[in-house]
PDB file of all heavy atoms in Angstrom:
ATOM      1  N   VAL A  25      32.648  78.011 106.978  1.00 95.00           N
ATOM      2  CA  VAL A  25      32.965  77.914 105.546  1.00 95.00           C
ATOM      3  C   VAL A  25      34.222  77.077 105.354  1.00 95.00           C
ATOM      4  O   VAL A  25      34.279  76.220 104.465  1.00 95.00           O
ATOM      5  CB  VAL A  25      33.125  79.324 104.921  1.00 95.00           C
ATOM      6  CG1 VAL A  25      33.774  79.244 103.555  1.00 95.00           C
ATOM      7  CG2 VAL A  25      31.772  80.007 104.816  1.00 95.00           C
ATOM      8  N   ASP A  26      35.237  77.302 106.185  1.00 94.00           N
ATOM      9  CA  ASP A  26      36.466  76.512 106.087  1.00 94.00           C
ATOM     10  C   ASP A  26      36.187  75.024 106.295  1.00 94.00           C
ATOM     11  O   ASP A  26      36.712  74.170 105.569  1.00 94.00           O
ATOM     12  CB  ASP A  26      37.502  77.001 107.099  1.00 94.00           C
ATOM     13  CG  ASP A  26      38.075  78.366 106.750  1.00 94.00           C
ATOM     14  OD1 ASP A  26      37.938  78.797 105.585  1.00 94.00           O
ATOM     15  OD2 ASP A  26      38.660  79.008 107.652  1.00 94.00           O
ATOM     16  N   ALA A  27      35.359  74.711 107.282  1.00 94.00           N
ATOM     17  CA  ALA A  27      35.021  73.310 107.556  1.00 94.00           C
ATOM     18  C   ALA A  27      34.269  72.686 106.382  1.00 94.00           C
ATOM     19  O   ALA A  27      34.556  71.550 105.979  1.00 94.00           O
ATOM     20  CB  ALA A  27      34.190  73.212 108.831  1.00 94.00           C
ATOM     21  N   VAL A  28      33.331  73.421 105.808  1.00 95.00           N
ATOM     22  CA  VAL A  28      32.554  72.906 104.675  1.00 95.00           C
ATOM     23  C   VAL A  28      33.450  72.733 103.455  1.00 95.00           C
ATOM     24  O   VAL A  28      33.339  71.735 102.728  1.00 95.00           O
ATOM     25  CB  VAL A  28      31.354  73.832 104.368  1.00 95.00           C
ATOM     26  CG1 VAL A  28      30.708  73.486 103.046  1.00 95.00           C
ATOM     27  CG2 VAL A  28      30.338  73.757 105.491  1.00 95.00           C
ATOM     28  N   GLU A  29      34.358  73.668 103.217  1.00 95.00           N
ATOM     29  CA  GLU A  29      35.280  73.544 102.088  1.00 95.00           C
ATOM     30  C   GLU A  29      36.178  72.319 102.252  1.00 95.00           C
ATOM     31  O   GLU A  29      36.447  71.604 101.286  1.00 95.00           O
ATOM     32  CB  GLU A  29      36.120  74.808 101.931  1.00 95.00           C
ATOM     33  CG  GLU A  29      35.342  75.971 101.355  1.00 95.00           C
ATOM     34  CD  GLU A  29      36.153  77.259 101.278  1.00 95.00           C
ATOM     35  OE1 GLU A  29      37.215  77.347 101.939  1.00 95.00           O
ATOM     36  OE2 GLU A  29      35.725  78.160 100.553  1.00 95.00           O
ATOM     37  N   SER A  30      36.634  72.073 103.466  1.00 94.00           N
ATOM     38  CA  SER A  30      37.459  70.903 103.740  1.00 94.00           C
ATOM     39  C   SER A  30      36.684  69.615 103.471  1.00 94.00           C
ATOM     40  O   SER A  30      37.190  68.678 102.840  1.00 94.00           O
ATOM     41  CB  SER A  30      37.946  70.942 105.184  1.00 94.00           C
ATOM     42  OG  SER A  30      38.677  69.789 105.492  1.00 94.00           O
ATOM     43  N   GLU A  31      35.449  69.579 103.940  1.00 93.00           N
ATOM     44  CA  GLU A  31      34.610  68.404 103.707  1.00 93.00           C
ATOM     45  C   GLU A  31      34.330  68.222 102.215  1.00 93.00           C
ATOM     46  O   GLU A  31      34.329  67.095 101.706  1.00 93.00           O
ATOM     47  CB  GLU A  31      33.300  68.547 104.478  1.00 93.00           C
ATOM     48  CG  GLU A  31      32.433  67.310 104.433  1.00 93.00           C
ATOM     49  CD  GLU A  31      31.191  67.447 105.290  1.00 93.00           C
ATOM     50  OE1 GLU A  31      31.163  68.293 106.191  1.00 93.00           O
ATOM     51  OE2 GLU A  31      30.235  66.683 105.040  1.00 93.00           O
ATOM     52  N   LEU A  32      34.127  69.307 101.502  1.00 95.00           N
ATOM     53  CA  LEU A  32      33.896  69.236 100.061  1.00 95.00           C
ATOM     54  C   LEU A  32      35.113  68.655  99.349  1.00 95.00           C
ATOM     55  O   LEU A  32      34.965  67.833  98.433  1.00 95.00           O
ATOM     56  CB  LEU A  32      33.570  70.628  99.515  1.00 95.00           C
ATOM     57  CG  LEU A  32      33.331  70.723  98.001  1.00 95.00           C
ATOM     58  CD1 LEU A  32      32.144  69.854  97.581  1.00 95.00           C
ATOM     59  CD2 LEU A  32      33.113  72.173  97.602  1.00 95.00           C
ATOM     60  N   ASP A  33      36.305  69.044  99.761  1.00 94.00           N
ATOM     61  CA  ASP A  33      37.522  68.486  99.159  1.00 94.00           C
ATOM     62  C   ASP A  33      37.601  66.975  99.379  1.00 94.00           C
ATOM     63  O   ASP A  33      37.985  66.225  98.470  1.00 94.00           O
ATOM     64  CB  ASP A  33      38.765  69.163  99.742  1.00 94.00           C
ATOM     65  CG  ASP A  33      38.927  70.611  99.278  1.00 94.00           C
ATOM     66  OD1 ASP A  33      38.316  70.969  98.246  1.00 94.00           O
ATOM     67  OD2 ASP A  33      39.653  71.363  99.954  1.00 94.00           O
ATOM     68  N   GLU A  34      37.215  66.534 100.580  1.00 91.00           N
ATOM     69  CA  GLU A  34      37.211  65.094 100.866  1.00 91.00           C
ATOM     70  C   GLU A  34      36.201  64.364  99.977  1.00 91.00           C
ATOM     71  O   GLU A  34      36.491  63.284  99.466  1.00 91.00           O
ATOM     72  CB  GLU A  34      36.882  64.849 102.335  1.00 91.00           C
ATOM     73  CG  GLU A  34      37.966  65.300 103.289  1.00 91.00           C
ATOM     74  CD  GLU A  34      37.555  65.174 104.744  1.00 91.00           C
ATOM     75  OE1 GLU A  34      36.543  64.504 105.046  1.00 91.00           O
ATOM     76  OE2 GLU A  34      38.254  65.757 105.595  1.00 91.00           O
ATOM     77  N   VAL A  35      35.034  64.948  99.791  1.00 92.00           N
ATOM     78  CA  VAL A  35      34.008  64.332  98.953  1.00 92.00           C
ATOM     79  C   VAL A  35      34.479  64.264  97.498  1.00 92.00           C
ATOM     80  O   VAL A  35      34.272  63.250  96.817  1.00 92.00           O
ATOM     81  CB  VAL A  35      32.667  65.096  99.082  1.00 92.00           C
ATOM     82  CG1 VAL A  35      31.671  64.648  98.027  1.00 92.00           C
ATOM     83  CG2 VAL A  35      32.095  64.920 100.474  1.00 92.00           C
ATOM     84  N   LYS A  36      35.140  65.313  97.029  1.00 95.00           N
ATOM     85  CA  LYS A  36      35.673  65.304  95.656  1.00 95.00           C
ATOM     86  C   LYS A  36      36.711  64.195  95.489  1.00 95.00           C
ATOM     87  O   LYS A  36      36.739  63.513  94.465  1.00 95.00           O
ATOM     88  CB  LYS A  36      36.291  66.656  95.319  1.00 95.00           C
ATOM     89  CG  LYS A  36      35.297  67.750  95.056  1.00 95.00           C
ATOM     90  CD  LYS A  36      36.014  69.060  94.743  1.00 95.00           C
ATOM     91  CE  LYS A  36      35.068  70.199  94.498  1.00 95.00           C
ATOM     92  NZ  LYS A  36      35.779  71.456  94.207  1.00 95.00           N
ATOM     93  N   HIS A  37      37.548  64.012  96.507  1.00 92.00           N
ATOM     94  CA  HIS A  37      38.568  62.960  96.463  1.00 92.00           C
ATOM     95  C   HIS A  37      37.902  61.581  96.402  1.00 92.00           C
ATOM     96  O   HIS A  37      38.311  60.713  95.607  1.00 92.00           O
ATOM     97  CB  HIS A  37      39.481  63.071  97.695  1.00 92.00           C
ATOM     98  CG  HIS A  37      40.549  62.051  97.748  1.00 92.00           C
ATOM     99  ND1 HIS A  37      41.634  62.062  96.906  1.00 92.00           N
ATOM    100  CD2 HIS A  37      40.693  60.965  98.547  1.00 92.00           C
ATOM    101  CE1 HIS A  37      42.413  61.033  97.171  1.00 92.00           C
ATOM    102  NE2 HIS A  37      41.857  60.351  98.177  1.00 92.00           N
ATOM    103  N   ASP A  38      36.877  61.375  97.231  1.00 91.00           N
ATOM    104  CA  ASP A  38      36.146  60.105  97.217  1.00 91.00           C
ATOM    105  C   ASP A  38      35.495  59.870  95.855  1.00 91.00           C
ATOM    106  O   ASP A  38      35.510  58.742  95.338  1.00 91.00           O
ATOM    107  CB  ASP A  38      35.076  60.077  98.306  1.00 91.00           C
ATOM    108  CG  ASP A  38      35.663  59.995  99.703  1.00 91.00           C
ATOM    109  OD1 ASP A  38      36.865  59.671  99.833  1.00 91.00           O
ATOM    110  OD2 ASP A  38      34.916  60.257 100.677  1.00 91.00           O
ATOM    111  N   LEU A  39      34.937  60.907  95.268  1.00 93.00           N
ATOM    112  CA  LEU A  39      34.303  60.778  93.956  1.00 93.00           C
ATOM    113  C   LEU A  39      35.318  60.373  92.895  1.00 93.00           C
ATOM    114  O   LEU A  39      35.040  59.520  92.048  1.00 93.00           O
ATOM    115  CB  LEU A  39      33.609  62.093  93.569  1.00 93.00           C
ATOM    116  CG  LEU A  39      32.916  62.109  92.207  1.00 93.00           C
ATOM    117  CD1 LEU A  39      31.814  61.051  92.152  1.00 93.00           C
ATOM    118  CD2 LEU A  39      32.365  63.483  91.915  1.00 93.00           C
ATOM    119  N   ARG A  40      36.515  60.982  92.950  1.00 94.00           N
ATOM    120  CA  ARG A  40      37.564  60.592  91.990  1.00 94.00           C
ATOM    121  C   ARG A  40      37.942  59.120  92.155  1.00 94.00           C
ATOM    122  O   ARG A  40      38.101  58.394  91.171  1.00 94.00           O
ATOM    123  CB  ARG A  40      38.798  61.467  92.169  1.00 94.00           C
ATOM    124  CG  ARG A  40      38.729  62.799  91.447  1.00 94.00           C
ATOM    125  CD  ARG A  40      40.090  63.496  91.443  1.00 94.00           C
ATOM    126  NE  ARG A  40      40.541  63.780  92.810  1.00 94.00           N
ATOM    127  CZ  ARG A  40      40.351  64.923  93.440  1.00 94.00           C
ATOM    128  NH1 ARG A  40      39.745  65.912  92.837  1.00 94.00           N
ATOM    129  NH2 ARG A  40      40.774  65.087  94.677  1.00 94.00           N
ATOM    130  N   ASN A  41      38.081  58.687  93.422  1.00 92.00           N
ATOM    131  CA  ASN A  41      38.419  57.275  93.668  1.00 92.00           C
ATOM    132  C   ASN A  41      37.344  56.336  93.137  1.00 92.00           C
ATOM    133  O   ASN A  41      37.654  55.309  92.526  1.00 92.00           O
ATOM    134  CB  ASN A  41      38.633  57.030  95.158  1.00 92.00           C
ATOM    135  CG  ASN A  41      39.940  57.590  95.655  1.00 92.00           C
ATOM    136  OD1 ASN A  41      40.870  57.807  94.888  1.00 92.00           O
ATOM    137  ND2 ASN A  41      40.011  57.846  96.958  1.00 92.00           N
ATOM    138  N   LEU A  42      36.086  56.688  93.372  1.00 92.00           N
ATOM    139  CA  LEU A  42      34.988  55.841  92.884  1.00 92.00           C
ATOM    140  C   LEU A  42      34.926  55.829  91.355  1.00 92.00           C
ATOM    141  O   LEU A  42      34.686  54.786  90.738  1.00 92.00           O
ATOM    142  CB  LEU A  42      33.660  56.311  93.472  1.00 92.00           C
ATOM    143  CG  LEU A  42      33.451  55.998  94.941  1.00 92.00           C
ATOM    144  CD1 LEU A  42      32.183  56.685  95.447  1.00 92.00           C
ATOM    145  CD2 LEU A  42      33.392  54.508  95.186  1.00 92.00           C
ATOM    146  N   THR A  43      35.143  56.970  90.756  1.00 94.00           N
ATOM    147  CA  THR A  43      35.137  57.052  89.291  1.00 94.00           C
ATOM    148  C   THR A  43      36.265  56.204  88.709  1.00 94.00           C
ATOM    149  O   THR A  43      36.062  55.464  87.736  1.00 94.00           O
ATOM    150  CB  THR A  43      35.278  58.521  88.834  1.00 94.00           C
ATOM    151  OG1 THR A  43      34.222  59.283  89.397  1.00 94.00           O
ATOM    152  CG2 THR A  43      35.226  58.633  87.317  1.00 94.00           C
ATOM    153  N   ASP A  44      37.449  56.292  89.311  1.00 93.00           N
ATOM    154  CA  ASP A  44      38.576  55.469  88.856  1.00 93.00           C
ATOM    155  C   ASP A  44      38.249  53.980  88.996  1.00 93.00           C
ATOM    156  O   ASP A  44      38.548  53.168  88.109  1.00 93.00           O
ATOM    157  CB  ASP A  44      39.843  55.789  89.646  1.00 93.00           C
ATOM    158  CG  ASP A  44      40.398  57.177  89.344  1.00 93.00           C
ATOM    159  OD1 ASP A  44      39.988  57.788  88.332  1.00 93.00           O
ATOM    160  OD2 ASP A  44      41.239  57.650  90.146  1.00 93.00           O
ATOM    161  N   PHE A  45      37.635  53.624  90.121  1.00 92.00           N
ATOM    162  CA  PHE A  45      37.272  52.232  90.354  1.00 92.00           C
ATOM    163  C   PHE A  45      36.265  51.749  89.318  1.00 92.00           C
ATOM    164  O   PHE A  45      36.406  50.640  88.757  1.00 92.00           O
ATOM    165  CB  PHE A  45      36.718  52.062  91.767  1.00 92.00           C
ATOM    166  CG  PHE A  45      36.255  50.691  92.084  1.00 92.00           C
ATOM    167  CD1 PHE A  45      37.152  49.615  92.088  1.00 92.00           C
ATOM    168  CD2 PHE A  45      34.931  50.423  92.386  1.00 92.00           C
ATOM    169  CE1 PHE A  45      36.721  48.332  92.391  1.00 92.00           C
ATOM    170  CE2 PHE A  45      34.506  49.149  92.680  1.00 92.00           C
ATOM    171  CZ  PHE A  45      35.391  48.096  92.691  1.00 92.00           C
ATOM    172  N   LEU A  46      35.279  52.547  89.017  1.00 93.00           N
ATOM    173  CA  LEU A  46      34.287  52.159  88.008  1.00 93.00           C
ATOM    174  C   LEU A  46      34.935  51.998  86.628  1.00 93.00           C
ATOM    175  O   LEU A  46      34.586  51.082  85.868  1.00 93.00           O
ATOM    176  CB  LEU A  46      33.147  53.185  87.955  1.00 93.00           C
ATOM    177  CG  LEU A  46      32.220  53.195  89.167  1.00 93.00           C
ATOM    178  CD1 LEU A  46      31.231  54.358  89.065  1.00 93.00           C
ATOM    179  CD2 LEU A  46      31.492  51.871  89.314  1.00 93.00           C
ATOM    180  N   GLN A  47      35.883  52.858  86.324  1.00 94.00           N
ATOM    181  CA  GLN A  47      36.586  52.732  85.042  1.00 94.00           C
ATOM    182  C   GLN A  47      37.401  51.437  84.996  1.00 94.00           C
ATOM    183  O   GLN A  47      37.480  50.777  83.957  1.00 94.00           O
ATOM    184  CB  GLN A  47      37.492  53.943  84.812  1.00 94.00           C
ATOM    185  CG  GLN A  47      36.724  55.204  84.481  1.00 94.00           C
ATOM    186  CD  GLN A  47      37.615  56.436  84.387  1.00 94.00           C
ATOM    187  OE1 GLN A  47      38.742  56.433  84.861  1.00 94.00           O
ATOM    188  NE2 GLN A  47      37.087  57.490  83.780  1.00 94.00           N
ATOM    189  N   GLU A  48      38.001  51.058  86.119  1.00 92.00           N
ATOM    190  CA  GLU A  48      38.739  49.801  86.185  1.00 92.00           C
ATOM    191  C   GLU A  48      37.804  48.608  85.993  1.00 92.00           C
ATOM    192  O   GLU A  48      38.155  47.620  85.326  1.00 92.00           O
ATOM    193  CB  GLU A  48      39.485  49.687  87.515  1.00 92.00           C
ATOM    194  CG  GLU A  48      40.632  50.664  87.644  1.00 92.00           C
ATOM    195  CD  GLU A  48      41.195  50.743  89.057  1.00 92.00           C
ATOM    196  OE1 GLU A  48      40.585  50.190  90.003  1.00 92.00           O
ATOM    197  OE2 GLU A  48      42.260  51.377  89.219  1.00 92.00           O
ATOM    198  N   ILE A  49      36.607  48.688  86.573  1.00 91.00           N
ATOM    199  CA  ILE A  49      35.634  47.594  86.429  1.00 91.00           C
ATOM    200  C   ILE A  49      35.224  47.435  84.973  1.00 91.00           C
ATOM    201  O   ILE A  49      35.234  46.317  84.429  1.00 91.00           O
ATOM    202  CB  ILE A  49      34.396  47.830  87.315  1.00 91.00           C
ATOM    203  CG1 ILE A  49      34.756  47.691  88.791  1.00 91.00           C
ATOM    204  CG2 ILE A  49      33.273  46.862  86.957  1.00 91.00           C
ATOM    205  CD1 ILE A  49      33.631  48.060  89.740  1.00 91.00           C
ATOM    206  N   ILE A  50      34.857  48.541  84.330  1.00 92.00           N
ATOM    207  CA  ILE A  50      34.350  48.424  82.956  1.00 92.00           C
ATOM    208  C   ILE A  50      35.460  48.167  81.938  1.00 92.00           C
ATOM    209  O   ILE A  50      35.171  47.783  80.811  1.00 92.00           O
ATOM    210  CB  ILE A  50      33.526  49.666  82.548  1.00 92.00           C
ATOM    211  CG1 ILE A  50      34.373  50.930  82.552  1.00 92.00           C
ATOM    212  CG2 ILE A  50      32.307  49.819  83.424  1.00 92.00           C
ATOM    213  CD1 ILE A  50      33.675  52.120  81.955  1.00 92.00           C
ATOM    214  N   SER A  51      36.708  48.314  82.361  1.00 92.00           N
ATOM    215  CA  SER A  51      37.799  48.039  81.411  1.00 92.00           C
ATOM    216  C   SER A  51      37.881  46.547  81.084  1.00 92.00           C
ATOM    217  O   SER A  51      38.387  46.174  80.024  1.00 92.00           O
ATOM    218  CB  SER A  51      39.135  48.520  81.976  1.00 92.00           C
ATOM    219  OG  SER A  51      39.555  47.693  83.056  1.00 92.00           O
ATOM    220  N   GLY A  52      37.399  45.699  82.010  1.00 89.00           N
ATOM    221  CA  GLY A  52      37.425  44.269  81.768  1.00 89.00           C
ATOM    222  C   GLY A  52      38.779  43.633  82.012  1.00 89.00           C
ATOM    223  O   GLY A  52      38.972  42.458  81.733  1.00 89.00           O
ATOM    224  N   LEU A  53      39.719  44.372  82.521  1.00 91.00           N
ATOM    225  CA  LEU A  53      41.071  43.854  82.748  1.00 91.00           C
ATOM    226  C   LEU A  53      41.205  43.087  84.059  1.00 91.00           C
ATOM    227  O   LEU A  53      42.179  42.363  84.253  1.00 91.00           O
ATOM    228  CB  LEU A  53      42.081  44.998  82.739  1.00 91.00           C
ATOM    229  CG  LEU A  53      42.198  45.800  81.440  1.00 91.00           C
ATOM    230  CD1 LEU A  53      43.144  46.985  81.633  1.00 91.00           C
ATOM    231  CD2 LEU A  53      42.711  44.895  80.315  1.00 91.00           C
ATOM    232  N   TYR A  54      40.243  43.244  84.951  1.00 90.00           N
ATOM    233  CA  TYR A  54      40.375  42.662  86.292  1.00 90.00           C
ATOM    234  C   TYR A  54      39.295  41.619  86.538  1.00 90.00           C
ATOM    235  O   TYR A  54      38.157  41.760  86.083  1.00 90.00           O
ATOM    236  CB  TYR A  54      40.292  43.763  87.344  1.00 90.00           C
ATOM    237  CG  TYR A  54      41.346  44.841  87.140  1.00 90.00           C
ATOM    238  CD1 TYR A  54      41.027  46.037  86.506  1.00 90.00           C
ATOM    239  CD2 TYR A  54      42.644  44.629  87.561  1.00 90.00           C
ATOM    240  CE1 TYR A  54      41.999  47.014  86.308  1.00 90.00           C
ATOM    241  CE2 TYR A  54      43.627  45.599  87.364  1.00 90.00           C
ATOM    242  CZ  TYR A  54      43.295  46.790  86.742  1.00 90.00           C
ATOM    243  OH  TYR A  54      44.263  47.744  86.534  1.00 90.00           O
ATOM    244  N   ASP A  55      39.671  40.569  87.281  1.00 92.00           N
ATOM    245  CA  ASP A  55      38.709  39.508  87.587  1.00 92.00           C
ATOM    246  C   ASP A  55      37.889  39.873  88.829  1.00 92.00           C
ATOM    247  O   ASP A  55      38.181  40.839  89.526  1.00 92.00           O
ATOM    248  CB  ASP A  55      39.423  38.171  87.768  1.00 92.00           C
ATOM    249  CG  ASP A  55      40.445  38.200  88.891  1.00 92.00           C
ATOM    250  OD1 ASP A  55      40.671  39.290  89.463  1.00 92.00           O
ATOM    251  OD2 ASP A  55      41.007  37.136  89.212  1.00 92.00           O
ATOM    252  N   LEU A  56      36.866  39.082  89.075  1.00 92.00           N
ATOM    253  CA  LEU A  56      35.922  39.376  90.159  1.00 92.00           C
ATOM    254  C   LEU A  56      36.579  39.440  91.538  1.00 92.00           C
ATOM    255  O   LEU A  56      36.284  40.361  92.296  1.00 92.00           O
ATOM    256  CB  LEU A  56      34.768  38.360  90.146  1.00 92.00           C
ATOM    257  CG  LEU A  56      33.668  38.606  91.163  1.00 92.00           C
ATOM    258  CD1 LEU A  56      33.029  39.972  90.963  1.00 92.00           C
ATOM    259  CD2 LEU A  56      32.617  37.511  91.086  1.00 92.00           C
ATOM    260  N   PRO A  57      37.459  38.530  91.918  1.00 94.00           N
ATOM    261  CA  PRO A  57      38.080  38.632  93.245  1.00 94.00           C
ATOM    262  C   PRO A  57      38.854  39.942  93.440  1.00 94.00           C
ATOM    263  O   PRO A  57      38.807  40.546  94.516  1.00 94.00           O
ATOM    264  CB  PRO A  57      39.014  37.420  93.323  1.00 94.00           C
ATOM    265  CG  PRO A  57      38.446  36.439  92.358  1.00 94.00           C
ATOM    266  CD  PRO A  57      37.829  37.264  91.265  1.00 94.00           C
ATOM    267  N   TRP A  58      39.551  40.403  92.395  1.00 93.00           N
ATOM    268  CA  TRP A  58      40.297  41.668  92.508  1.00 93.00           C
ATOM    269  C   TRP A  58      39.327  42.834  92.699  1.00 93.00           C
ATOM    270  O   TRP A  58      39.552  43.721  93.525  1.00 93.00           O
ATOM    271  CB  TRP A  58      41.150  41.904  91.256  1.00 93.00           C
ATOM    272  CG  TRP A  58      41.962  43.155  91.362  1.00 93.00           C
ATOM    273  CD1 TRP A  58      43.200  43.282  91.870  1.00 93.00           C
ATOM    274  CD2 TRP A  58      41.553  44.474  90.962  1.00 93.00           C
ATOM    275  NE1 TRP A  58      43.608  44.588  91.822  1.00 93.00           N
ATOM    276  CE2 TRP A  58      42.613  45.356  91.273  1.00 93.00           C
ATOM    277  CE3 TRP A  58      40.402  45.009  90.387  1.00 93.00           C
ATOM    278  CZ2 TRP A  58      42.553  46.722  91.026  1.00 93.00           C
ATOM    279  CZ3 TRP A  58      40.354  46.367  90.137  1.00 93.00           C
ATOM    280  CH2 TRP A  58      41.414  47.210  90.462  1.00 93.00           C
ATOM    281  N   ILE A  59      38.241  42.824  91.945  1.00 91.00           N
ATOM    282  CA  ILE A  59      37.236  43.891  92.033  1.00 91.00           C
ATOM    283  C   ILE A  59      36.617  43.913  93.435  1.00 91.00           C
ATOM    284  O   ILE A  59      36.451  44.978  94.031  1.00 91.00           O
ATOM    285  CB  ILE A  59      36.152  43.721  90.952  1.00 91.00           C
ATOM    286  CG1 ILE A  59      36.762  43.970  89.562  1.00 91.00           C
ATOM    287  CG2 ILE A  59      34.969  44.648  91.193  1.00 91.00           C
ATOM    288  CD1 ILE A  59      35.847  43.635  88.408  1.00 91.00           C
ATOM    289  N   GLN A  60      36.294  42.720  93.971  1.00 93.00           N
ATOM    290  CA  GLN A  60      35.710  42.651  95.305  1.00 93.00           C
ATOM    291  C   GLN A  60      36.688  43.161  96.368  1.00 93.00           C
ATOM    292  O   GLN A  60      36.300  43.897  97.284  1.00 93.00           O
ATOM    293  CB  GLN A  60      35.292  41.210  95.626  1.00 93.00           C
ATOM    294  CG  GLN A  60      34.091  40.753  94.829  1.00 93.00           C
ATOM    295  CD  GLN A  60      33.789  39.272  95.027  1.00 93.00           C
ATOM    296  OE1 GLN A  60      34.680  38.476  95.342  1.00 93.00           O
ATOM    297  NE2 GLN A  60      32.533  38.908  94.815  1.00 93.00           N
ATOM    298  N   LYS A  61      37.943  42.789  96.245  1.00 94.00           N
ATOM    299  CA  LYS A  61      38.967  43.239  97.195  1.00 94.00           C
ATOM    300  C   LYS A  61      39.130  44.758  97.121  1.00 94.00           C
ATOM    301  O   LYS A  61      39.195  45.453  98.139  1.00 94.00           O
ATOM    302  CB  LYS A  61      40.285  42.538  96.900  1.00 94.00           C
ATOM    303  CG  LYS A  61      41.385  42.887  97.855  1.00 94.00           C
ATOM    304  CD  LYS A  61      42.668  42.137  97.513  1.00 94.00           C
ATOM    305  CE  LYS A  61      43.794  42.615  98.392  1.00 94.00           C
ATOM    306  NZ  LYS A  61      45.082  42.028  98.035  1.00 94.00           N
TER     307      LYS A  61
END
């Protein structure tokens, strides 16, 4: 259970990062090279 909870926390962190990245993309403030990087 401890191992699964730890892995779940990592997945939640990755999801937050991806969500933030998608919000940055749709904001239109960044150009394509920055988005690719």
Side-chain angles (χ1 to χ4, degrees):
V25 166
D26 290 343
V28 168
E29 286 176 344
S30 177
E31 187 176 340
L32 179 61
D33 289 341
E34 291 174 14
V35 169
K36 285 179 181 180
H37 180 72
D38 290 345
L39 179 61
R40 277 191 299 265
N41 286 338
L42 287 172
T43 303
D44 291 345
F45 177 63
L46 290 174
Q47 288 174 343
E48 291 169 350
I49 291 174
I50 63 171
S51 71
L53 299 175
Y54 303 99
D55 60 355
L56 184 59
W58 182 89
I59 292 171
Q60 289 173 334
K61 182 179 174 185

